Amino acid sequence: MSDDLVPHLENPEERRAYDQAYGDTGADAGMATIAPDMETDLKTGFETPAEDTALAAGEAGYWSPDAAIIEHKGTWEEVWERFRKDKFAVAGLVVIGILVIVAITAPWIAPHDPTTQYDEGLTMKGMPMGSSAKFWLGTDTLGRDLLSRLMYGARVSLVIGIMANGLALILGVIFGLTAGFFRGATETAIMRVTDVMMAFPIYLLAVALVSVLKPSLWILIFVIGFVYWTPMTRVIHGEVLSIREKEFVAAARLTGCTNVRILYRHILPHLVAPIIVYTSLGIATTVLFEATLSYIGLGVQPPTPSWGQMISDGQNYYLSAPHLVIYPGLCIMITVLAFNLVGDGLRDAFDPQQRRR
Amino acid sequence: MSGATTHGGGATVAPREADAATATNGDLVTVKDLKVHFPITSGIVFQRKVGAVHAVDGISLIVKRGETLGLVGESGCGKSTTGRAILRLEPLTGGHVLYEGADLARLSGRALRRQRRRMQMIFQDPYASLNSRMTVGDIVGEPLLVHKLCPRREREKRTRDLLELVGINPNTLNRYPHEFSGGQRQRIGIARALAVEPNFIVCDEPISALDVSIRAQIINLLQRLQGEFGLTYLFIAHDLSVVRHISDRVAVMYLGRIVELAENSVLYETPMHPYTQALLSAVPIPDPAVEEMRRPIVLKGDVPSPVDPPSGCHFHTRCPAVQEGLCDVNDPALVEVRPAHWAACHLITPGDFPNIRTAENIGPDLGATALRDEGG
């Protein structure tokens, strides 16, 4: 075998000097030599300028760039930094936070019980009243406090929206992973079934299903999740197709990993970003879905309040008591908008090459 | 090759003991008539095969224990696919791959995974071949975990030893790959390959993606590891000078077939196949005076598509010595035209050397400034 292509230096001093001149230095050392005492945004993690220069001089050890352990900034922190810069996304997150708090604490902070029908809630002629000292947003057709009903309605919408989406997510990930990873006949079967499902008008399908089964909370969650798994399957399938061609998957297979281990340890972590993004966007859709079903009477049954149901109840009074329709409608709109903004913001935050709008 | 080797701070990564049964036979990997054809399908719902990319079209070679076999060729000639097919990363359309005499194609499932300990690969792209969501310690320690090579307590120590072996600071094992430079990532990939203590490593263009200044370090590392652990390399590259430096024998590929296989210096000084001669003549010589006087062989035309390779000898469409009626009809077999020198060409008869080129025409010593006398 021939000699080394670089001189074989016995003396450690010479070796260090050679390494400093030609060695394989890490990315961090480069910045340190340029501006060792500058307060930079790049956060190389060096505590003092003295460490920077010591590093650049290669004094720290034979392996450039360092001997100390430097805390690295994880990807989640970077994502959060980018997310923070999008004001709309942050506003959406705040709104969701408020909604969640209201939904959780509704039994304690609602001014009245949502199912109690008050005599003083109705006018002489039996019409619903506008805002007053006792009923901050007015009352509905049966004299119930609108504000309390809206708060309790938040619970229904959020619970159904999140859990239905969770079910759709689980189904979508399982089908998408299986189809994308194993390919062949399995993939064809799953994706063609998905295509057929997507061709179905999902609202009609949901209506049909709920009519057959009695509409209750769990039935709704199941039905909405069941009709809604197709977009997630598509997305996951596409992502898995691109991930499985990457070299580290071949390397894992060569290392002797079983298929299960490759799926769990190598492919799934790369799916976290699309899953999070499409979950947020999906919750917006499932909340709207539930409101629609409630509007046509197939959602949760009265007296449990639901925003869609409230709109349906109040629609005959839209001229005389428009607040019955406006407030629930606004709630739906704000919720859906907030989840959409957060979903968009997350999508931009996870993709470092995305240009700012 | 036996016994534990200590390195650096007392690492004990021991080389594998040679099996008694195969110690007598020096052949480690035998490839017989390997074919890898990728089907081209058309149709939306039911896909039918309308053609195939003949990436590897009948390759036979033997890699001897302890040697470095270089595999060179143009981009797209199928050398990477050959390396991957030997390791069963690509499905074989035909032929056999024997490791220590045992046919790998028959293995599947757990047996195949066990066999994967003996053969590893160093990938071309140091950025894509490491999982960006795993720490370096996890990446290098995963083979230890999968093959249950050591108890859990010891795994971190073994991982640190491996990192130290390849020249990476062991304290960085909680970092992610994107915090390392390309050369460091390639070292991490080498550490991962070594974790299972393999005998045979396919190096698939391991330095092509690295800075020129780093390549020397990686090559030196590979050579040092080969000396310490008695590794066998299949070194795939398209950089002729690097292959010359590191290989014992060199095989030249063209469009899915091997056209010439010889000892290192024999191939570079006295190439016999017209394609090899053209390839070597295309390498410029650093001395401008010599380069001025040289007339390299220029092949006409482009490389044909592997979807529809030419009939007979794949090189006949561009060969300066082509003979109608012979070269475009029959496939030339890879025959031993001189001791330990194989070539696949109809025009070379064993023992007879009508086309042998001399040093003046092709500049065999890459980097040499003086012309050499005509050799054997």
Side-chain angles (χ1 to χ4, degrees):
Chain A
M1 215 60 66
S2 331
D3 298 328
D4 282 3
L5 293 180
V6 300
H8 191 69
L9 301 164
E10 292 301 325
N11 189 346
E13 296 296 332
E14 289 179 36
R15 217 163 44 200
R16 239 177 259 133
Y18 185 85
D19 254 327
Q20 182 191 329
Y22 301 109
D24 182 15
T25 58
D28 284 331
M31 267 314 288
T33 45
I34 293 171
D37 53 352
M38 190 168 76
E39 181 69 45
T40 74
D41 287 336
L42 291 180
K43 292 203 176 42
T44 56
F46 297 132
E47 302 287 359
T48 65
E51 280 184 37
D52 290 6
T53 38
L55 197 68
E59 292 164 24
Y62 177 60
W63 300 285
S64 310
D66 64 322
I69 298 178
I70 295 175
E71 285 305 309
H72 60 274
K73 202 151 62 136
T75 33
W76 294 108
E77 294 165 18
E78 288 173 16
V79 168
W80 172 244
E81 295 275 332
R82 280 197 291 268
F83 184 83
R84 257 191 5 203
K85 293 195 182 119
D86 183 354
K87 308 227 174 4
F88 289 118
V90 173
L93 196 61
V94 167
V95 168
I96 292 176
I98 295 175
L99 272 174
V100 169
I101 293 175
V102 164
I104 294 177
T105 59
W108 294 284
I109 64 169
H112 304 277
D113 180 77
T115 55
T116 313
Q117 303 173 15
Y118 293 93
D119 289 331
E120 58 267 30
L122 295 173
T123 60
M124 301 297 193
K125 288 191 241 153
M127 296 285 285
M129 288 170 45
S131 22
S132 61
K134 182 160 185 198
F135 306 111
W136 291 0
L137 291 182
T139 56
D140 71 349
T141 54
L142 294 179
R144 298 177 288 201
D145 177 34
L146 203 62
L147 179 60
S148 309
R149 286 181 66 81
L150 284 177
M151 286 182 173
Y152 275 80
R155 311 182 93 187
V156 169
S157 291
L158 282 182
V159 163
I160 294 184
I162 291 174
M163 296 196 67
N165 199 271
L167 175 62
L169 170 70
I170 291 172
L171 286 177
V173 167
I174 292 176
F175 289 140
L177 263 182
T178 314
F181 188 74
F182 292 106
R183 311 240 32 213
T186 320
E187 180 192 27
T188 315
I190 293 180
M191 295 319 289
R192 296 296 84 82
V193 167
T194 310
D195 288 341
V196 167
M197 279 292 300
M198 287 192 98
F200 259 94
I202 49 175
Y203 282 96
L204 286 187
L205 183 60
V207 165
L209 279 173
V210 175
S211 312
V212 167
L213 315 155
K214 242 182 335 108
S216 74
L217 191 77
W218 287 105
I219 297 290
L220 273 179
I221 290 174
F222 165 72
V223 167
I224 296 178
F226 176 70
V227 303
Y228 195 58
W229 56 267
T230 46
M232 187 66 80
T233 305
R234 278 259 169 112
V235 167
I236 300 285
H237 172 250
E239 289 286 333
V240 171
L241 278 186
S242 84
I243 291 171
R244 76 195 289 277
E245 299 306 322
K246 297 211 166 138
E247 283 204 323
F248 63 81
V249 175
R253 200 180 292 283
L254 197 52
T255 304
C257 293
T258 57
N259 275 339
V260 173
R261 186 177 167 89
I262 291 179
L263 276 173
Y264 172 67
R265 194 79 171 84
H266 290 273
I267 295 190
L268 204 52
H270 288 264
L271 292 175
V272 168
I275 286 179
I276 290 182
V277 170
Y278 282 94
T279 301
S280 338
L281 295 172
I283 294 182
T285 311
T286 42
V287 163
L288 200 52
F289 208 133
E290 181 274 327
T292 311
L293 284 179
S294 299
Y295 177 77
I296 57 178
L298 289 173
V300 288
Q301 296 300 299
T304 315
S306 160
W307 292 341
Q309 188 198 96
M310 289 159 72
I311 295 181
S312 157
D313 287 344
Q315 64 184 344
N316 288 327
Y317 296 82
Y318 74 93
L319 279 179
S320 48
H323 63 280
L324 292 182
V325 173
I326 290 180
Y327 289 128
L330 267 180
C331 284
I332 296 176
M333 193 187 91
I334 291 174
T335 307
V336 171
L337 185 62
F339 276 106
N340 269 323
L341 288 174
V342 167
D344 277 351
L346 280 173
R347 186 172 48 203
D348 291 345
F350 273 111
D351 183 4
Q353 278 112 352
Q354 197 96 343
R355 249 177 328 165
R356 307 235 39 92
R357 264 180 273 114
Chain B
M1 282 220 294
S2 57
T5 313
T6 56
H7 177 89
T12 50
V13 182
R16 177 184 300 283
E17 301 281 347
D19 291 331
T22 53
T24 49
N25 187 354
D27 299 345
L28 192 63
V29 175
T30 310
V31 178
K32 285 188 191 157
D33 201 29
L34 181 68
K35 289 190 171 68
V36 181
H37 296 165
F38 296 111
I40 303 172
T41 57
S42 107
I44 300 175
V45 181
F46 295 108
Q47 303 192 311
R48 42 175 223 291
K49 179 173 164 188
V50 295
V53 177
H54 302 265
V56 179
D57 207 14
I59 282 194
S60 302
L61 47 81
I62 296 176
V63 187
K64 297 200 181 60
R65 189 183 298 275
E67 76 164 351
T68 301
L69 179 66
L71 190 57
V72 293
E74 293 179 55
S75 302
C77 69
K79 32 186 215 305
S80 282
T81 312
T82 304
R84 293 169 75 102
I86 291 177
L87 296 176
R88 289 219 33 204
L89 288 179
E90 304 283 355
L92 277 72
T93 315
H96 302 278
V97 176
L98 307 176
Y99 179 84
E100 290 180 340
D103 192 346
L104 293 180
R106 284 187 289 106
L107 295 178
S108 68
R110 187 177 299 171
L112 180 63
R113 284 200 293 277
R114 253 205 304 268
Q115 191 67 3
R116 290 246 146 95
R117 276 196 67 189
R118 317 288 187 87
M119 321 183 325
Q120 282 294 314
M121 184 160 173
I122 298 168
F123 292 86
Q124 176 174 358
D125 187 349
Y127 295 88
S129 62
L130 302 180
N131 187 342
S132 50
R133 296 252 194 261
M134 285 171 75
T135 62
V136 160
D138 286 339
I139 291 173
V140 176
E142 187 176 36
L144 301 172
L145 173 67
V146 167
H147 290 281
K148 301 188 184 56
L149 293 177
C150 64
R152 183 196 298 236
R153 311 177 269 298
E154 228 184 87
R155 203 182 309 142
E156 179 173 331
K157 179 170 186 318
R158 288 275 286 253
T159 308
R160 283 174 173 269
D161 292 343
L162 282 164
L163 288 175
E164 209 176 312
L165 189 64
V166 296
I168 297 281
N169 187 340
N171 290 331
T172 59
L173 54 74
N174 282 324
R175 294 209 200 167
Y176 287 89
H178 67 264
E179 303 176 60
F180 292 86
S181 70
Q184 290 174 320
R185 288 192 218 197
Q186 197 65 295
R187 291 171 190 264
I188 294 168
I190 294 173
R192 173 179 61 188
L194 290 177
V196 292
E197 298 165 17
N199 295 359
F200 176 61
I201 297 187
V202 174
C203 306
D204 186 3
E205 306 203 42
I207 54 172
S208 303
L210 303 177
D211 287 343
V212 176
S213 53
I214 305 301
R215 291 181 186 181
Q217 296 183 0
I218 301 295
I219 294 291
N220 290 341
L221 174 65
L222 287 174
Q223 288 185 301
R224 196 182 79 228
L225 292 169
Q226 183 175 36
E228 274 189 39
F229 298 110
L231 299 170
T232 306
Y233 288 148
L234 176 65
F235 195 88
I236 301 171
H238 52 72
D239 185 343
L240 296 170
S241 49
V242 170
V243 171
R244 180 167 195 180
H245 175 79
I246 197 176
S247 310
D248 297 317
R249 294 190 301 150
V250 180
V252 180
M253 270 185 77
Y254 182 79
L255 211 63
R257 291 193 181 153
I258 292 191
V259 296
E260 192 162 2
L261 170 61
E263 299 274 317
N264 189 347
S265 43
V266 169
L267 188 96
Y268 280 83
E269 288 161 23
T270 54
M272 302 200 70
H273 193 279
Y275 176 65
T276 317
Q277 293 169 350
L279 202 60
L280 291 172
S281 86
V283 180
I285 294 184
D287 185 341
V290 174
E291 185 66 15
E292 277 285 302
M293 301 200 309
R294 219 168 54 95
R295 216 165 299 115
I297 304 168
V298 177
L299 296 173
K300 53 189 188 306
D302 281 324
V303 181
S305 160
V307 176
D308 189 19
S311 55
C313 173
H314 282 176
F315 186 56
H316 82 260
T317 53
R318 310 171 72 200
C319 181
V322 62
Q323 282 188 11
E324 305 284 322
L326 175 62
C327 298
D328 50 358
V329 174
N330 298 323
D331 288 352
L334 193 67
V335 294
E336 195 166 2
V337 296
R338 283 197 286 178
H341 188 158
W342 283 266
C345 181
H346 293 300
L347 308 176
I348 305 173
T349 343
D352 181 26
F353 321 115
N355 295 332
I356 191 126
R357 299 292 193 117
T358 62
E360 284 128 16
N361 286 338
I362 55 173
D365 272 312
L366 308 160
T369 53
L371 292 175
R372 302 214 358 242
D373 295 330
E374 174 175 319

